[in-house]
């Protein structure tokens, strides 16, 4: 902290952006820094720039993880340098949309407009580019159809992940459950099955006495808080998975060629998906407008 405070005091025109991870760093480098016309504007993944041990987060009452590191650093900078203009720290909104994560107002801290950075890809221009230019899907598979079809799956997985996190068992949705998720229908049976498979991956004494029905009750409470814009209720890493599930159901042949076969792996498709985002499709989003305004000024 002392080094950062010294840097920002001596070099007041420096503009540093901190992100949760390197993929977010690359994304903001492309869509913000490269257009900011400010050679002193740089973007970093927080762990590449500042070492913040888990113990420090725990002592501060902050959830361990990249999001917590962003929040902690923002709070420290705001304390040491009130009203500074030197840094902006970007955190995913995550589960704040249903009241399960805080979105504390800290100077210099900016939350994504939606639940995740990847949710900026959930628009027709981006999905059309992915389907047509990148994957070469048939014309009848439109971006509008894909977006409409994956909404319920994204929301369901978002809420399942939240309930599992809140269970404090440390369990995650099994990969087999994700790859076999039925994208064509949404039912509570699928949700219960996901909870059952997740709990069964644990020993009985590690389940905190929870049953799938207990988790479903919590799921339904959070479900009542879900609004109309599904981008606020989508886990970033589930987006590419949902698209793959839809394409495998409606035009599986797109993954048959050697060149496109790797894209049926969600992590690979996610990289491709984020590269398809057109800057024009996100320029009016609040986060980008705020970042561009801040990065392009000096001594503000």
């Amino acid at each position: 902290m002392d080094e950062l405070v010294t840097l920002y005091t001596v070099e007041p025109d420096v503009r540093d952006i901190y992100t949760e991870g390197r993929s977010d760093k690359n994304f903001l480098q492309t869509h913000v820094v490269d257009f900011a016309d400010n050679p002193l504007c740089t973007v970093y993944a927080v762990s590449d720039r500042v070492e913040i041990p888990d113990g420090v987060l725990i002592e501060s009452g902050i959830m361990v993880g990249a999001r917590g590191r962003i929040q902690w650093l923002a709070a420290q900078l705001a304390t040491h340098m009130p009203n500074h203009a030197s840094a902006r720290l970007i955190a995913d909104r995550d589960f704040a949309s249903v009241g399960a994560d805080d979105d504390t107002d800290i100077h210099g801290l900016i939350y994504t407009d939606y639940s995740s950075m990847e949710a900026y890809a959930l628009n027709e221009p981006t999905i059309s580019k992915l389907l047509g230019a990148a994957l070469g899907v048939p014309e009848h598979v439109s971006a509008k159809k894909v977006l409409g079809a994956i909404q319920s799956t994204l929301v369901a997985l978002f809420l399942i992940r939240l309930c599992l996190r809140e269970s404090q068992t440390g369990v995650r949705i099994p990969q087999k459950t994700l790859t076999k998720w039925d994208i064509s229908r949404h039912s509570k049976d699928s949700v219960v099955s996901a909870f059952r498979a997740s709990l069964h991956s644990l020993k009985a004494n590690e389940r905190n006495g929870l049953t799938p029905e207990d988790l479903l009750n919590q799921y339904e409470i959070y479900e009542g808080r879900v609004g109309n814009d599904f981008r606020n209720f989508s886990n970033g890493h589930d987006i590419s998975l949902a698209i793959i599930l839809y394409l495998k159901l409606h035009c599986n042949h797109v993954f048959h060629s050697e060149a496109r076969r790797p894209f049926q792996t969600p992590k690979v498709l996610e990289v491709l998906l984020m590269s398809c985002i057109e800057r024009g499709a996100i320029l009016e989003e609040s986060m980008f407008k705020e970042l561009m305004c801040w990065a392009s000024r000096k001594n503000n």
Side-chain angles (χ1 to χ4, degrees), residues 57-74:
L57 299 179
I58 294 171
E59 289 176 5
S60 301
I62 298 175
M63 188 175 294
V64 171
R67 186 178 191 267
R69 287 176 168 78
I70 288 287
Q71 291 176 316
W72 182 89
L73 182 57

Side-chain angles (χ1 to χ4, degrees), residues 1-281:
M1 281 307 307
D2 290 341
E3 293 178 6
L4 281 183
V5 170
T6 299
L7 169 65
Y8 296 150
T9 301
V10 174
E11 298 287 350
D13 287 338
V14 165
R15 296 289 180 268
D16 285 345
I17 301 174
Y18 295 87
T19 67
E20 292 187 20
R22 291 172 184 166
S23 59
D24 291 349
K25 168 192 174 297
N26 296 336
F27 180 64
L28 292 182
Q29 175 71 44
T30 299
H31 291 285
V32 175
V33 176
D34 288 352
F35 289 87
D37 192 26
N38 184 349
L40 295 179
C41 185
T42 310
V43 58
Y44 301 96
V46 63
S47 294
D48 288 340
R49 180 72 160 162
V50 184
E51 183 177 351
I52 308 170
D54 289 352
V56 171
L57 299 179
I58 294 171
E59 289 176 5
S60 301
I62 298 175
M63 188 175 294
V64 171
R67 186 178 191 267
R69 287 176 168 78
I70 288 287
Q71 291 176 316
W72 182 89
L73 182 57
Q76 291 297 310
L77 287 173
T79 298
H80 286 79
M81 302 181 68
N83 301 316
H84 68 85
S86 301
R88 291 295 179 263
L89 300 100
I90 313 301
D92 284 348
R93 198 166 292 278
D94 279 1
F95 299 112
S97 57
V98 291
D101 278 328
D102 67 87
D103 49 2
T104 308
D105 185 10
I106 302 173
H107 178 74
L109 178 60
I110 301 174
Y111 291 96
T112 52
D113 295 285
Y114 311 110
S115 56
S116 66
M117 195 73 75
E118 291 80 7
Y120 287 108
L122 291 172
N123 55 72
E124 289 192 31
T126 299
I127 302 301
S128 291
K129 185 175 180 181
L130 174 74
L131 298 177
L135 298 178
V137 304
E139 290 185 4
H140 72 271
V141 181
S142 67
K144 185 175 182 178
K145 286 182 179 179
V146 172
L147 288 169
I150 67 176
Q151 290 185 30
S152 60
T153 289
L154 290 176
V155 174
L157 293 178
F158 177 84
L159 297 179
I160 290 170
R161 291 185 186 279
L162 172 57
C163 292
L164 292 178
R165 189 193 76 175
E166 298 295 282
S167 73
Q168 298 184 355
T169 60
V171 72
R172 298 172 181 266
I173 307 173
Q175 189 61 35
K176 185 177 181 180
T177 299
L178 291 173
T179 56
K180 291 190 174 183
W181 187 270
D182 189 349
I183 195 80
S184 64
R185 67 187 184 94
H186 172 63
S187 71
K188 291 296 170 63
D189 288 341
S190 299
V191 174
V192 172
S193 295
F195 284 140
R196 182 173 294 110
S198 300
L199 289 176
H200 284 182
S201 68
L202 298 171
K203 296 179 181 178
N205 62 355
E206 296 175 341
R207 300 173 190 171
N208 293 340
L210 293 169
T211 66
E213 289 71 27
D214 293 329
L215 294 175
L216 179 63
N217 289 337
Q218 187 63 53
Y219 177 99
E220 291 176 336
I221 292 173
Y222 284 126
E223 187 178 35
R225 303 175 187 175
V226 172
N228 293 327
D229 192 338
F230 75 106
R231 291 174 294 183
N232 292 316
F233 313 97
S234 300
N235 178 278
H237 299 311
D238 287 333
I239 294 172
S240 55
L241 167 70
I243 293 173
I244 290 168
L245 290 173
Y246 179 88
L247 294 180
K248 283 190 171 183
L249 182 64
H250 293 279
C251 51
N252 190 42
H253 67 275
V254 302
F255 297 119
H256 289 175
S257 72
E258 184 177 354
R260 295 190 176 111
R261 194 171 298 126
F263 296 139
Q264 63 186 320
T265 301
K267 288 184 178 180
V268 177
L269 187 70
E270 183 176 300
V271 174
L272 180 62
L273 174 65
M274 295 304 285
S275 70
C276 288
I277 296 178
E278 296 286 354
R279 194 161 180 272

Side-chain angles (χ1 to χ4, degrees), residues 265-299:
T265 301
K267 288 184 178 180
V268 177
L269 187 70
E270 183 176 300
V271 174
L272 180 62
L273 174 65
M274 295 304 285
S275 70
C276 288
I277 296 178
E278 296 286 354
R279 194 161 180 272
I282 57 176
L283 274 181
E284 293 305 309
E285 301 287 6
S286 296
M287 184 186 77
F288 289 93
K289 290 169 71 174
E290 183 173 349
L291 279 175
M292 284 302 300
C293 181
W294 163 81
S296 300
R297 294 179 182 176
K298 297 182 179 180
N299 290 322

